[in-house]
Amino acid sequence: MRPIARLYKSCEHPCTGFRSRSLFQQFFAETRYLFADVNRKNLVAHRTAGDYTNNRGQKNRIFHTNRRDTPMKAFLSSLSRSKRYVVAELLLVYFAQGLSSIMLGSVLPDLRAAYALDYQIGGTLLSAQSIGYLGIGLLSGLAAIKWGLKRAYLILYYVFAVGFVMLLTNGSPVWLLAAMFLTGISKGAITDYNNRVMSEYANGSATPLNMMHAAYAFGACVAPLAVLACHKLGGDNGWRLALEISIVLLTASFIFGLFMKMDDDKSTKTEQKSATDYGFFREKLFWLCTALCFFYEAVEASMMGWLTSFYIDSGVLAADAAQIITSLLWVSLLIGRFSCSVIAAKFRPWQMITVMCFGVAAFLVLLVTGTTLPILAVATIGLGLCMSGMYGTTVANAGDLFSRYPASMGIYVTLNGFGAAMAPAAIGIAANRAGIRWGFATLLIAGVLLVVSAVLNARYFKGKQHSKAVSRA
């Protein structure tokens, strides 16, 4: 435990030399810093030509700080006040969506009971969300050009709340499918816009992306506990109270976003110049990153939608205990994403991805075969830690690919969405025929293919390193 304690108590960046007493303190300090008035003459964080090299061997610009500053604080210091407001909106939106998405998975057993839905319909609902998620990826770029980035962002974001209102008003399967489809559209659009804008602001650094995804995980780990509290207060209608709270939070972040200045982003102008450039299809790295995220999202979407039902319906845990164990997944994701923002400074993205993919596969086996509370808790925590940095690190693994090809992010989100769409439906079909445990076992296929993708990705980067060594020799 001593090495782990040293990692969390005192983390030192090898380039900037910053030290932080606590990763949680770091997160909240940086959030407070977003709106602090900064004296530009005394900035200790500034952009300068540095020695960071991206995946194509090109020089990028990096942030240099003194020993008292974290990379995230240096990143925020380099932004104008209006851009820091945008970053705050990105964090708040991801927090709200994280809470709402996982809250939906937590109330799914109650929603199925209230509307008398079977496993197959429940899985189809989750797949309808994923279909919306992948479908919007083709249109989000066009929406930003036609409506303007800010208007497209806010409209497509608030569709999530509209879907929740629909879930509360009618139990018809077609109506519920339409509601879940709308929530998927919102998730896909925000995933595209948030990652695109933050990637543009971060200028090649993985730390801001991992911190943004940590905000999602923070909302996600609060969600099961919030649902548990709503059940205590509302009884059988506790799931309705949970969705109503989520609608209020989504509305608050929507109002907060009305005052941001997002349309001046460089990313929108670039999109208008090269929105039809599809040269990324010839890039092997694009397909490797897509394969990694495809199978990762298959696992993530299934865990979000089915984990609570798996615990309860397999007879291992009671409903209240299942909510608590589910929250362990997101606490682990939150801790893992903070850790990845530090570890990313010491290891290359492909190295982190390889370790995380093997870990996901191993803990999936433990989860599916486990029948006791300690084993399930270890499997849940392990999965959370290994899944935590996958999305942000995979985006960083692509280097400058997404900035060179603005259309690539939308296609990337769309292709990955197929994994998120098919896996929950496959689990529902298998669970209807053989039980929830065998249904969940279908995720092992995604786990194995995730490992294969990680190995191919590692070979790609090792091959590049060998080629550079030969050329230098």
Side-chain angles (χ1 to χ4, degrees):
M1 292 299 291
R2 287 188 177 182
I4 297 175
R6 284 197 295 270
L7 173 65
Y8 282 92
K9 293 291 184 181
S10 178
C11 301
E12 183 166 354
H13 193 293
C15 299
T16 63
F18 84 89
R19 299 179 72 87
S20 60
R21 293 189 304 273
S22 163
L23 293 174
F24 288 99
Q25 290 173 349
Q26 173 187 336
F27 175 77
F28 290 115
E30 286 161 354
T31 303
R32 290 196 304 270
Y33 185 76
L34 280 169
F35 301 106
D37 290 326
V38 179
N39 185 345
R40 294 287 165 183
K41 294 181 181 180
N42 295 326
L43 277 180
V44 293
H46 55 85
R47 292 176 182 258
T48 181
D51 57 359
Y52 176 82
T53 306
N54 62 24
N55 289 334
R56 294 180 60 85
Q58 299 167 334
K59 296 290 186 180
N60 280 347
R61 297 166 70 88
I62 63 173
F63 304 114
H64 288 284
T65 69
N66 68 9
R67 292 182 62 86
R68 295 184 178 181
D69 280 348
T70 65
M72 189 66 179
K73 188 173 181 180
F75 160 69
L76 295 172
S77 300
S78 69
L79 301 177
S80 65
R81 188 177 180 86
S82 61
K83 286 188 174 181
R84 279 187 283 152
Y85 193 100
V86 172
V87 170
E89 169 69 359
L90 300 184
L91 295 174
L92 181 58
V93 162
Y94 247 25
F95 170 80
Q97 280 214 339
L99 184 140
S100 302
S101 298
I102 308 310
M103 191 172 277
L104 182 57
S106 296
V107 302
L108 184 60
D110 299 300
L111 187 143
R112 285 195 298 108
Y115 294 139
L117 307 175
D118 61 16
Y119 282 127
Q120 187 166 345
I121 295 296
T124 305
L125 289 177
L126 296 175
S127 292
Q129 184 183 58
S130 298
I131 291 170
Y133 179 94
L134 65 90
I136 194 61
L138 298 173
L139 303 174
S140 57
L142 296 175
I145 294 172
K146 187 172 182 63
W147 298 341
L149 183 57
K150 177 181 174 180
R151 185 177 299 174
Y153 183 90
L154 292 175
I155 290 175
L156 294 176
Y157 163 65
Y158 200 65
V159 165
F160 205 108
V162 175
F164 270 27
V165 171
M166 292 174 66
L167 290 176
L168 290 170
T169 55
N170 196 301
S172 167
V174 176
W175 182 262
L176 295 176
L177 286 170
M180 294 295 284
F181 181 77
L182 290 180
T183 63
I185 286 177
S186 179
K187 284 184 66 177
I190 295 306
T191 298
D192 183 355
Y193 293 148
N194 272 24
N195 282 284
R196 194 187 311 180
V197 173
M198 187 66 88
S199 182
E200 181 70 33
Y201 287 2
N203 202 21
S205 172
T207 297
L209 284 163
N210 278 316
M211 293 296 287
M212 183 179 71
H213 286 277
Y216 185 98
F218 187 69
C221 71
V222 170
L225 301 178
V227 171
L228 190 60
C230 290
H231 277 303
K232 297 293 184 183
L233 294 173
D236 292 339
N237 289 321
W239 68 276
R240 292 183 177 275
L241 177 61
L243 293 185
E244 289 164 0
I245 291 173
S246 182
I247 291 168
V248 171
L249 180 59
L250 291 166
T251 303
S253 53
F254 172 81
I255 295 171
F256 186 84
L258 292 174
F259 302 98
M260 67 179 174
K261 297 179 181 179
M262 187 183 273
D263 285 328
D264 296 329
D265 280 346
K266 181 172 65 176
S267 58
T268 306
K269 298 175 183 176
T270 305
E271 237 176 44
Q272 292 171 340
K273 293 179 181 178
S274 56
T276 57
D277 188 352
Y278 296 103
F280 59 90
F281 282 125
R282 297 187 297 271
E283 297 268 1
K284 185 177 180 180
L285 182 59
F286 173 78
W287 293 109
L288 287 171
C289 291
T290 300
L292 285 165
C293 214
F294 178 91
F295 297 116
Y296 160 70
E297 288 201 9
V299 175
E300 184 192 52
S302 301
M303 296 291 286
M304 283 184 180
W306 283 113
L307 187 60
T308 304
S309 297
F310 169 75
Y311 286 143
I312 297 172
D313 297 346
S314 61
V316 177
L317 297 173
D320 291 352
Q323 297 288 359
I324 294 173
I325 294 295
T326 301
S327 69
L328 282 179
L329 173 70
W330 297 104
V331 171
S332 303
L333 280 166
L334 179 63
I335 294 172
R337 282 171 180 166
F338 283 134
S339 301
C340 283
S341 66
V342 177
I343 297 171
K346 299 183 179 182
F347 298 97
R348 296 177 182 177
W350 67 266
Q351 293 172 322
M352 296 174 62
I353 286 170
T354 303
V355 174
M356 287 188 289
C357 289
F358 274 93
V360 167
F363 286 112
L364 268 177
V365 172
L366 192 62
L367 181 69
V368 171
T369 58
T371 56
T372 61
L373 180 58
I375 292 177
L376 290 176
V378 169
T380 301
I381 293 171
L383 272 171
L385 292 174
C386 292
M387 289 168 54
S388 59
M390 274 297 298
Y391 199 100
T393 307
T394 303
V395 172
N397 184 71
D400 64 345
L401 181 72
F402 295 125
S403 60
R404 285 187 292 115
Y405 300 102
S408 62
M409 181 59 82
I411 303 297
Y412 176 76
V413 170
T414 299
L415 294 176
N416 297 336
F418 281 105
M422 292 187 294
I427 290 176
I429 293 171
N432 251 7
R433 296 182 178 180
I436 188 67
R437 186 172 291 276
W438 281 105
F440 224 71
T442 58
L443 275 184
L444 296 177
I445 299 172
V448 171
L449 294 175
L450 188 61
V451 169
V452 172
S453 302
V455 171
L456 293 175
N457 184 64
R459 289 184 61 183
Y460 171 81
F461 281 100
K462 285 184 177 180
K464 287 187 67 175
Q465 288 177 352
H466 179 70
S467 299
K468 288 180 181 179
V470 170
S471 63
R472 288 174 184 171

mmCIF file with all atom_site columns, all heavy atoms in Angstrom, residues 404-427:
data_model
loop_
_atom_site.group_PDB
_atom_site.id
_atom_site.type_symbol
_atom_site.label_atom_id
_atom_site.label_alt_id
_atom_site.label_comp_id
_atom_site.label_asym_id
_atom_site.label_entity_id
_atom_site.label_seq_id
_atom_site.pdbx_PDB_ins_code
_atom_site.Cartn_x
_atom_site.Cartn_y
_atom_site.Cartn_z
_atom_site.occupancy
_atom_site.B_iso_or_equiv
_atom_site.pdbx_formal_charge
_atom_site.auth_seq_id
_atom_site.auth_comp_id
_atom_site.auth_asym_id
_atom_site.auth_atom_id
_atom_site.pdbx_PDB_model_num
ATOM 1   N N   . ARG A 1 404 ? -6.363  17.470  -37.624 1.00 0.00 ? 404 ARG A N   1
ATOM 2   C CA  . ARG A 1 404 ? -6.053  17.541  -39.051 1.00 0.00 ? 404 ARG A CA  1
ATOM 3   C C   . ARG A 1 404 ? -7.260  17.230  -39.913 1.00 0.00 ? 404 ARG A C   1
ATOM 4   O O   . ARG A 1 404 ? -7.380  17.722  -41.037 1.00 0.00 ? 404 ARG A O   1
ATOM 5   C CB  . ARG A 1 404 ? -4.918  16.567  -39.400 1.00 0.00 ? 404 ARG A CB  1
ATOM 6   C CG  . ARG A 1 404 ? -3.548  17.034  -38.944 1.00 0.00 ? 404 ARG A CG  1
ATOM 7   C CD  . ARG A 1 404 ? -2.421  16.144  -39.447 1.00 0.00 ? 404 ARG A CD  1
ATOM 8   N NE  . ARG A 1 404 ? -2.433  14.816  -38.844 1.00 0.00 ? 404 ARG A NE  1
ATOM 9   C CZ  . ARG A 1 404 ? -2.651  13.688  -39.509 1.00 0.00 ? 404 ARG A CZ  1
ATOM 10  N NH1 . ARG A 1 404 ? -2.894  13.727  -40.805 1.00 0.00 ? 404 ARG A NH1 1
ATOM 11  N NH2 . ARG A 1 404 ? -2.634  12.525  -38.890 1.00 0.00 ? 404 ARG A NH2 1
ATOM 12  N N   . TYR A 1 405 ? -8.153  16.394  -39.410 1.00 0.00 ? 405 TYR A N   1
ATOM 13  C CA  . TYR A 1 405 ? -9.358  16.007  -40.150 1.00 0.00 ? 405 TYR A CA  1
ATOM 14  C C   . TYR A 1 405 ? -10.584 16.288  -39.282 1.00 0.00 ? 405 TYR A C   1
ATOM 15  O O   . TYR A 1 405 ? -11.026 15.426  -38.519 1.00 0.00 ? 405 TYR A O   1
ATOM 16  C CB  . TYR A 1 405 ? -9.316  14.521  -40.505 1.00 0.00 ? 405 TYR A CB  1
ATOM 17  C CG  . TYR A 1 405 ? -8.143  14.116  -41.369 1.00 0.00 ? 405 TYR A CG  1
ATOM 18  C CD1 . TYR A 1 405 ? -7.038  13.472  -40.799 1.00 0.00 ? 405 TYR A CD1 1
ATOM 19  C CD2 . TYR A 1 405 ? -8.137  14.360  -42.737 1.00 0.00 ? 405 TYR A CD2 1
ATOM 20  C CE1 . TYR A 1 405 ? -5.968  13.077  -41.586 1.00 0.00 ? 405 TYR A CE1 1
ATOM 21  C CE2 . TYR A 1 405 ? -7.067  13.982  -43.530 1.00 0.00 ? 405 TYR A CE2 1
ATOM 22  C CZ  . TYR A 1 405 ? -5.980  13.335  -42.945 1.00 0.00 ? 405 TYR A CZ  1
ATOM 23  O OH  . TYR A 1 405 ? -4.920  12.953  -43.725 1.00 0.00 ? 405 TYR A OH  1
ATOM 24  N N   . PRO A 1 406 ? -11.165 17.492  -39.371 1.00 0.00 ? 406 PRO A N   1
ATOM 25  C CA  . PRO A 1 406 ? -12.299 17.844  -38.507 1.00 0.00 ? 406 PRO A CA  1
ATOM 26  C C   . PRO A 1 406 ? -13.488 16.901  -38.633 1.00 0.00 ? 406 PRO A C   1
ATOM 27  O O   . PRO A 1 406 ? -14.229 16.712  -37.675 1.00 0.00 ? 406 PRO A O   1
ATOM 28  C CB  . PRO A 1 406 ? -12.659 19.262  -38.981 1.00 0.00 ? 406 PRO A CB  1
ATOM 29  C CG  . PRO A 1 406 ? -11.402 19.798  -39.564 1.00 0.00 ? 406 PRO A CG  1
ATOM 30  C CD  . PRO A 1 406 ? -10.723 18.629  -40.191 1.00 0.00 ? 406 PRO A CD  1
ATOM 31  N N   . ALA A 1 407 ? -13.679 16.304  -39.824 1.00 0.00 ? 407 ALA A N   1
ATOM 32  C CA  . ALA A 1 407 ? -14.814 15.394  -39.998 1.00 0.00 ? 407 ALA A CA  1
ATOM 33  C C   . ALA A 1 407 ? -14.595 14.068  -39.288 1.00 0.00 ? 407 ALA A C   1
ATOM 34  O O   . ALA A 1 407 ? -15.542 13.306  -39.091 1.00 0.00 ? 407 ALA A O   1
ATOM 35  C CB  . ALA A 1 407 ? -15.056 15.148  -41.489 1.00 0.00 ? 407 ALA A CB  1
ATOM 36  N N   . SER A 1 408 ? -13.357 13.788  -38.891 1.00 0.00 ? 408 SER A N   1
ATOM 37  C CA  . SER A 1 408 ? -13.041 12.464  -38.350 1.00 0.00 ? 408 SER A CA  1
ATOM 38  C C   . SER A 1 408 ? -13.694 12.208  -36.999 1.00 0.00 ? 408 SER A C   1
ATOM 39  O O   . SER A 1 408 ? -14.067 11.066  -36.705 1.00 0.00 ? 408 SER A O   1
ATOM 40  C CB  . SER A 1 408 ? -11.518 12.296  -38.232 1.00 0.00 ? 408 SER A CB  1
ATOM 41  O OG  . SER A 1 408 ? -10.962 13.246  -37.344 1.00 0.00 ? 408 SER A OG  1
ATOM 42  N N   . MET A 1 409 ? -13.839 13.232  -36.164 1.00 0.00 ? 409 MET A N   1
ATOM 43  C CA  . MET A 1 409 ? -14.407 13.013  -34.833 1.00 0.00 ? 409 MET A CA  1
ATOM 44  C C   . MET A 1 409 ? -15.850 12.542  -34.904 1.00 0.00 ? 409 MET A C   1
ATOM 45  O O   . MET A 1 409 ? -16.263 11.638  -34.174 1.00 0.00 ? 409 MET A O   1
ATOM 46  C CB  . MET A 1 409 ? -14.297 14.283  -33.983 1.00 0.00 ? 409 MET A CB  1
ATOM 47  C CG  . MET A 1 409 ? -14.856 14.139  -32.571 1.00 0.00 ? 409 MET A CG  1
ATOM 48  S SD  . MET A 1 409 ? -14.062 12.856  -31.578 1.00 0.00 ? 409 MET A SD  1
ATOM 49  C CE  . MET A 1 409 ? -12.612 13.720  -30.989 1.00 0.00 ? 409 MET A CE  1
ATOM 50  N N   . GLY A 1 410 ? -16.630 13.139  -35.793 1.00 0.00 ? 410 GLY A N   1
ATOM 51  C CA  . GLY A 1 410 ? -18.024 12.715  -35.934 1.00 0.00 ? 410 GLY A CA  1
ATOM 52  C C   . GLY A 1 410 ? -18.130 11.276  -36.421 1.00 0.00 ? 410 GLY A C   1
ATOM 53  O O   . GLY A 1 410 ? -18.943 10.492  -35.922 1.00 0.00 ? 410 GLY A O   1
ATOM 54  N N   . ILE A 1 411 ? -17.294 10.903  -37.410 1.00 0.00 ? 411 ILE A N   1
ATOM 55  C CA  . ILE A 1 411 ? -17.297 9.529   -37.907 1.00 0.00 ? 411 ILE A CA  1
ATOM 56  C C   . ILE A 1 411 ? -16.815 8.576   -36.818 1.00 0.00 ? 411 ILE A C   1
ATOM 57  O O   . ILE A 1 411 ? -17.342 7.461   -36.654 1.00 0.00 ? 411 ILE A O   1
ATOM 58  C CB  . ILE A 1 411 ? -16.400 9.410   -39.153 1.00 0.00 ? 411 ILE A CB  1
ATOM 59  C CG1 . ILE A 1 411 ? -16.865 10.387  -40.246 1.00 0.00 ? 411 ILE A CG1 1
ATOM 60  C CG2 . ILE A 1 411 ? -16.410 7.982   -39.682 1.00 0.00 ? 411 ILE A CG2 1
ATOM 61  C CD1 . ILE A 1 411 ? -18.246 10.110  -40.768 1.00 0.00 ? 411 ILE A CD1 1
ATOM 62  N N   . TYR A 1 412 ? -15.805 9.005   -36.084 1.00 0.00 ? 412 TYR A N   1
ATOM 63  C CA  . TYR A 1 412 ? -15.252 8.205   -34.985 1.00 0.00 ? 412 TYR A CA  1
ATOM 64  C C   . TYR A 1 412 ? -16.329 7.902   -33.943 1.00 0.00 ? 412 TYR A C   1
ATOM 65  O O   . TYR A 1 412 ? -16.507 6.755   -33.523 1.00 0.00 ? 412 TYR A O   1
ATOM 66  C CB  . TYR A 1 412 ? -14.097 8.995   -34.377 1.00 0.00 ? 412 TYR A CB  1
ATOM 67  C CG  . TYR A 1 412 ? -13.423 8.404   -33.173 1.00 0.00 ? 412 TYR A CG  1
ATOM 68  C CD1 . TYR A 1 412 ? -12.544 7.339   -33.280 1.00 0.00 ? 412 TYR A CD1 1
ATOM 69  C CD2 . TYR A 1 412 ? -13.627 8.958   -31.900 1.00 0.00 ? 412 TYR A CD2 1
ATOM 70  C CE1 . TYR A 1 412 ? -11.901 6.815   -32.170 1.00 0.00 ? 412 TYR A CE1 1
ATOM 71  C CE2 . TYR A 1 412 ? -12.990 8.444   -30.785 1.00 0.00 ? 412 TYR A CE2 1
ATOM 72  C CZ  . TYR A 1 412 ? -12.121 7.371   -30.929 1.00 0.00 ? 412 TYR A CZ  1
ATOM 73  O OH  . TYR A 1 412 ? -11.485 6.864   -29.829 1.00 0.00 ? 412 TYR A OH  1
ATOM 74  N N   . VAL A 1 413 ? -17.063 8.924   -33.537 1.00 0.00 ? 413 VAL A N   1
ATOM 75  C CA  . VAL A 1 413 ? -18.142 8.738   -32.555 1.00 0.00 ? 413 VAL A CA  1
ATOM 76  C C   . VAL A 1 413 ? -19.227 7.816   -33.114 1.00 0.00 ? 413 VAL A C   1
ATOM 77  O O   . VAL A 1 413 ? -19.757 6.950   -32.410 1.00 0.00 ? 413 VAL A O   1
ATOM 78  C CB  . VAL A 1 413 ? -18.740 10.106  -32.164 1.00 0.00 ? 413 VAL A CB  1
ATOM 79  C CG1 . VAL A 1 413 ? -20.010 9.934   -31.343 1.00 0.00 ? 413 VAL A CG1 1
ATOM 80  C CG2 . VAL A 1 413 ? -17.725 10.929  -31.382 1.00 0.00 ? 413 VAL A CG2 1
ATOM 81  N N   . THR A 1 414 ? -19.540 7.976   -34.410 1.00 0.00 ? 414 THR A N   1
ATOM 82  C CA  . THR A 1 414 ? -20.588 7.159   -35.022 1.00 0.00 ? 414 THR A CA  1
ATOM 83  C C   . THR A 1 414 ? -20.206 5.685   -35.061 1.00 0.00 ? 414 THR A C   1
ATOM 84  O O   . THR A 1 414 ? -20.984 4.814   -34.667 1.00 0.00 ? 414 THR A O   1
ATOM 85  C CB  . THR A 1 414 ? -20.860 7.650   -36.457 1.00 0.00 ? 414 THR A CB  1
ATOM 86  O OG1 . THR A 1 414 ? -21.300 9.009   -36.404 1.00 0.00 ? 414 THR A OG1 1
ATOM 87  C CG2 . THR A 1 414 ? -21.934 6.814   -37.120 1.00 0.00 ? 414 THR A CG2 1
ATOM 88  N N   . LEU A 1 415 ? -18.987 5.398   -35.533 1.00 0.00 ? 415 LEU A N   1
ATOM 89  C CA  . LEU A 1 415 ? -18.546 4.005   -35.630 1.00 0.00 ? 415 LEU A CA  1
ATOM 90  C C   . LEU A 1 415 ? -18.476 3.351   -34.254 1.00 0.00 ? 415 LEU A C   1
ATOM 91  O O   . LEU A 1 415 ? -18.872 2.185   -34.081 1.00 0.00 ? 415 LEU A O   1
ATOM 92  C CB  . LEU A 1 415 ? -17.187 3.937   -36.329 1.00 0.00 ? 415 LEU A CB  1
ATOM 93  C CG  . LEU A 1 415 ? -17.176 4.352   -37.804 1.00 0.00 ? 415 LEU A CG  1
ATOM 94  C CD1 . LEU A 1 415 ? -15.757 4.337   -38.353 1.00 0.00 ? 415 LEU A CD1 1
ATOM 95  C CD2 . LEU A 1 415 ? -18.071 3.446   -38.632 1.00 0.00 ? 415 LEU A CD2 1
ATOM 96  N N   . ASN A 1 416 ? -17.978 4.101   -33.271 1.00 0.00 ? 416 ASN A N   1
ATOM 97  C CA  . ASN A 1 416 ? -17.895 3.554   -31.917 1.00 0.00 ? 416 ASN A CA  1
ATOM 98  C C   . ASN A 1 416 ? -19.281 3.293   -31.348 1.00 0.00 ? 416 ASN A C   1
ATOM 99  O O   . ASN A 1 416 ? -19.476 2.378   -30.537 1.00 0.00 ? 416 ASN A O   1
ATOM 100 C CB  . ASN A 1 416 ? -17.147 4.520   -31.000 1.00 0.00 ? 416 ASN A CB  1
ATOM 101 C CG  . ASN A 1 416 ? -15.717 4.722   -31.440 1.00 0.00 ? 416 ASN A CG  1
ATOM 102 O OD1 . ASN A 1 416 ? -15.146 3.869   -32.109 1.00 0.00 ? 416 ASN A OD1 1
ATOM 103 N ND2 . ASN A 1 416 ? -15.138 5.844   -31.074 1.00 0.00 ? 416 ASN A ND2 1
ATOM 104 N N   . GLY A 1 417 ? -20.242 4.111   -31.771 1.00 0.00 ? 417 GLY A N   1
ATOM 105 C CA  . GLY A 1 417 ? -21.597 3.953   -31.268 1.00 0.00 ? 417 GLY A CA  1
ATOM 106 C C   . GLY A 1 417 ? -22.226 2.621   -31.644 1.00 0.00 ? 417 GLY A C   1
ATOM 107 O O   . GLY A 1 417 ? -23.138 2.152   -30.962 1.00 0.00 ? 417 GLY A O   1
ATOM 108 N N   . PHE A 1 418 ? -21.744 2.004   -32.741 1.00 0.00 ? 418 PHE A N   1
ATOM 109 C CA  . PHE A 1 418 ? -22.284 0.693   -33.102 1.00 0.00 ? 418 PHE A CA  1
ATOM 110 C C   . PHE A 1 418 ? -21.999 -0.330  -31.999 1.00 0.00 ? 418 PHE A C   1
ATOM 111 O O   . PHE A 1 418 ? -22.831 -1.190  -31.706 1.00 0.00 ? 418 PHE A O   1
ATOM 112 C CB  . PHE A 1 418 ? -21.687 0.212   -34.431 1.00 0.00 ? 418 PHE A CB  1
ATOM 113 C CG  . PHE A 1 418 ? -22.316 0.843   -35.635 1.00 0.00 ? 418 PHE A CG  1
ATOM 114 C CD1 . PHE A 1 418 ? -21.651 1.819   -36.349 1.00 0.00 ? 418 PHE A CD1 1
ATOM 115 C CD2 . PHE A 1 418 ? -23.576 0.455   -36.053 1.00 0.00 ? 418 PHE A CD2 1
ATOM 116 C CE1 . PHE A 1 418 ? -22.220 2.402   -37.464 1.00 0.00 ? 418 PHE A CE1 1
ATOM 117 C CE2 . PHE A 1 418 ? -24.165 1.033   -37.170 1.00 0.00 ? 418 PHE A CE2 1
ATOM 118 C CZ  . PHE A 1 418 ? -23.486 2.014   -37.881 1.00 0.00 ? 418 PHE A CZ  1
ATOM 119 N N   . GLY A 1 419 ? -20.803 -0.246  -31.414 1.00 0.00 ? 419 GLY A N   1
ATOM 120 C CA  . GLY A 1 419 ? -20.483 -1.144  -30.309 1.00 0.00 ? 419 GLY A CA  1
ATOM 121 C C   . GLY A 1 419 ? -21.397 -0.921  -29.124 1.00 0.00 ? 419 GLY A C   1
ATOM 122 O O   . GLY A 1 419 ? -21.894 -1.880  -28.500 1.00 0.00 ? 419 GLY A O   1
ATOM 123 N N   . ALA A 1 420 ? -21.638 0.369   -28.809 1.00 0.00 ? 420 ALA A N   1
ATOM 124 C CA  . ALA A 1 420 ? -22.531 0.699   -27.697 1.00 0.00 ? 420 ALA A CA  1
ATOM 125 C C   . ALA A 1 420 ? -23.974 0.323   -27.994 1.00 0.00 ? 420 ALA A C   1
ATOM 126 O O   . ALA A 1 420 ? -24.767 0.093   -27.075 1.00 0.00 ? 420 ALA A O   1
ATOM 127 C CB  . ALA A 1 420 ? -22.427 2.201   -27.387 1.00 0.00 ? 420 ALA A CB  1
ATOM 128 N N   . ALA A 1 421 ? -24.336 0.252   -29.283 1.00 0.00 ? 421 ALA A N   1
ATOM 129 C CA  . ALA A 1 421 ? -25.716 -0.090  -29.651 1.00 0.00 ? 421 ALA A CA  1
ATOM 130 C C   . ALA A 1 421 ? -25.961 -1.586  -29.620 1.00 0.00 ? 421 ALA A C   1
ATOM 131 O O   . ALA A 1 421 ? -27.015 -2.054  -29.157 1.00 0.00 ? 421 ALA A O   1
ATOM 132 C CB  . ALA A 1 421 ? -26.030 0.466   -31.036 1.00 0.00 ? 421 ALA A CB  1
ATOM 133 N N   . MET A 1 422 ? -24.993 -2.362  -30.092 1.00 0.00 ? 422 MET A N   1
ATOM 134 C CA  . MET A 1 422 ? -25.222 -3.800  -30.248 1.00 0.00 ? 422 MET A CA  1
ATOM 135 C C   . MET A 1 422 ? -25.079 -4.571  -28.946 1.00 0.00 ? 422 MET A C   1
ATOM 136 O O   . MET A 1 422 ? -25.825 -5.535  -28.697 1.00 0.00 ? 422 MET A O   1
ATOM 137 C CB  . MET A 1 422 ? -24.258 -4.360  -31.300 1.00 0.00 ? 422 MET A CB  1
ATOM 138 C CG  . MET A 1 422 ? -24.547 -3.853  -32.701 1.00 0.00 ? 422 MET A CG  1
ATOM 139 S SD  . MET A 1 422 ? -23.528 -4.669  -33.959 1.00 0.00 ? 422 MET A SD  1
ATOM 140 C CE  . MET A 1 422 ? -21.887 -4.084  -33.504 1.00 0.00 ? 422 MET A CE  1
ATOM 141 N N   . ALA A 1 423 ? -24.111 -4.183  -28.116 1.00 0.00 ? 423 ALA A N   1
ATOM 142 C CA  . ALA A 1 423 ? -23.822 -4.978  -26.918 1.00 0.00 ? 423 ALA A CA  1
ATOM 143 C C   . ALA A 1 423 ? -24.999 -5.070  -25.936 1.00 0.00 ? 423 ALA A C   1
ATOM 144 O O   . ALA A 1 423 ? -25.338 -6.170  -25.485 1.00 0.00 ? 423 ALA A O   1
ATOM 145 C CB  . ALA A 1 423 ? -22.573 -4.440  -26.227 1.00 0.00 ? 423 ALA A CB  1
ATOM 146 N N   . PRO A 1 424 ? -25.643 -3.941  -25.550 1.00 0.00 ? 424 PRO A N   1
ATOM 147 C CA  . PRO A 1 424 ? -26.773 -4.074  -24.606 1.00 0.00 ? 424 PRO A CA  1
ATOM 148 C C   . PRO A 1 424 ? -27.919 -4.916  -25.149 1.00 0.00 ? 424 PRO A C   1
ATOM 149 O O   . PRO A 1 424 ? -28.552 -5.676  -24.401 1.00 0.00 ? 424 PRO A O   1
ATOM 150 C CB  . PRO A 1 424 ? -27.209 -2.613  -24.372 1.00 0.00 ? 424 PRO A CB  1
ATOM 151 C CG  . PRO A 1 424 ? -26.009 -1.794  -24.710 1.00 0.00 ? 424 PRO A CG  1
ATOM 152 C CD  . PRO A 1 424 ? -25.341 -2.517  -25.836 1.00 0.00 ? 424 PRO A CD  1
ATOM 153 N N   . ALA A 1 425 ? -28.185 -4.800  -26.465 1.00 0.00 ? 425 ALA A N   1
ATOM 154 C CA  . ALA A 1 425 ? -29.261 -5.599  -27.056 1.00 0.00 ? 425 ALA A CA  1
ATOM 155 C C   . ALA A 1 425 ? -28.904 -7.078  -27.032 1.00 0.00 ? 425 ALA A C   1
ATOM 156 O O   . ALA A 1 425 ? -29.756 -7.927  -26.752 1.00 0.00 ? 425 ALA A O   1
ATOM 157 C CB  . ALA A 1 425 ? -29.520 -5.140  -28.484 1.00 0.00 ? 425 ALA A CB  1
ATOM 158 N N   . ALA A 1 426 ? -27.622 -7.388  -27.315 1.00 0.00 ? 426 ALA A N   1
ATOM 159 C CA  . ALA A 1 426 ? -27.184 -8.782  -27.293 1.00 0.00 ? 426 ALA A CA  1
ATOM 160 C C   . ALA A 1 426 ? -27.321 -9.370  -25.891 1.00 0.00 ? 426 ALA A C   1
ATOM 161 O O   . ALA A 1 426 ? -27.739 -10.526 -25.722 1.00 0.00 ? 426 ALA A O   1
ATOM 162 C CB  . ALA A 1 426 ? -25.734 -8.880  -27.772 1.00 0.00 ? 426 ALA A CB  1
ATOM 163 N N   . ILE A 1 427 ? -26.984 -8.580  -24.883 1.00 0.00 ? 427 ILE A N   1
ATOM 164 C CA  . ILE A 1 427 ? -27.125 -9.047  -23.502 1.00 0.00 ? 427 ILE A CA  1
ATOM 165 C C   . ILE A 1 427 ? -28.590 -9.307  -23.178 1.00 0.00 ? 427 ILE A C   1
ATOM 166 O O   . ILE A 1 427 ? -28.943 -10.318 -22.548 1.00 0.00 ? 427 ILE A O   1
ATOM 167 C CB  . ILE A 1 427 ? -26.524 -8.022  -22.527 1.00 0.00 ? 427 ILE A CB  1
ATOM 168 C CG1 . ILE A 1 427 ? -25.003 -8.001  -22.654 1.00 0.00 ? 427 ILE A CG1 1
ATOM 169 C CG2 . ILE A 1 427 ? -26.923 -8.344  -21.083 1.00 0.00 ? 427 ILE A CG2 1
ATOM 170 C CD1 . ILE A 1 427 ? -24.337 -6.948  -21.810 1.00 0.00 ? 427 ILE A CD1 1
#
